[in-house]
Amino acid sequence: MKNELVLREEEWMKNNRFRDLIGLQIEDIGDGTATLSLAVQDQLLQGAGMVHGGVITTLIDSVIGSAVRSVMADHMISLTAELNINFFRPATQGRIFAEGRVINRGKQLAVGVGDVKGENGKLLATGRATYVLKEITKK
């Protein structure tokens, strides 16, 4: 059974068609944590047959963003302000997993970290991101 945070994230992501386009799946969301996964597909590979770095970057941004949203009120949004990635080894097949967690949440900023691993548990990439937290203004 899905927890309340997973259901809330699924509802929020109905407006994020890019996640559907690349096949991003929610595995779990907790209080300040998230796990997402992605099946390696041919259309996600670059010319040398490895998952494109932009896909890995999207996965890290997405998993940290999901973790940040898990500690935000419903009337708030988060916007990526800064993101850095270190790539260690390529992914070429199977499923890749991203784990993210919030390391600091203030009134206006949240900072999180994320790791991407292969099915074998080897670290493929790691990243850190800062998000600006804003209230949704109703018109």
Side-chain angles (χ1 to χ4, degrees), residues 64-85:
I64 300 170
S66 292
V68 167
R69 276 187 296 282
S70 76
V71 295
M72 291 175 24
D74 287 339
H75 66 281
M76 303 285 289
I77 60 170
S78 60
L79 305 164
T80 308
E82 176 272 337
L83 175 66
N84 72 47
I85 310 291

Side-chain angles (χ1 to χ4, degrees), residues 13 16-26 36-45 51-63 94-96 98:
M13 284 303 113
N16 188 336
R17 304 298 299 154
F18 187 68
R19 278 189 172 193
D20 288 339
L21 182 68
I22 63 171
L24 209 52
Q25 299 284 310
I26 298 169
L36 305 177
S37 70
L38 179 72
V40 175
Q41 304 166 51
D42 287 344
Q43 65 266 30
L44 302 179
L45 304 178
V51 174
H52 191 284
V55 173
I56 301 292
T57 301
T58 296
L59 188 52
I60 289 176
D61 186 29
S62 296
V63 77
R95 192 159 201 85
I96 54 179

Side-chain angles (χ1 to χ4, degrees), residues 22 30-33 35 43 63 66 79 123 126 138:
I22 63 171
D31 187 26
T33 65
T35 304
Q43 65 266 30
V63 77
S66 292
L79 305 164
L123 186 63
T126 190
K138 296 185 181 187

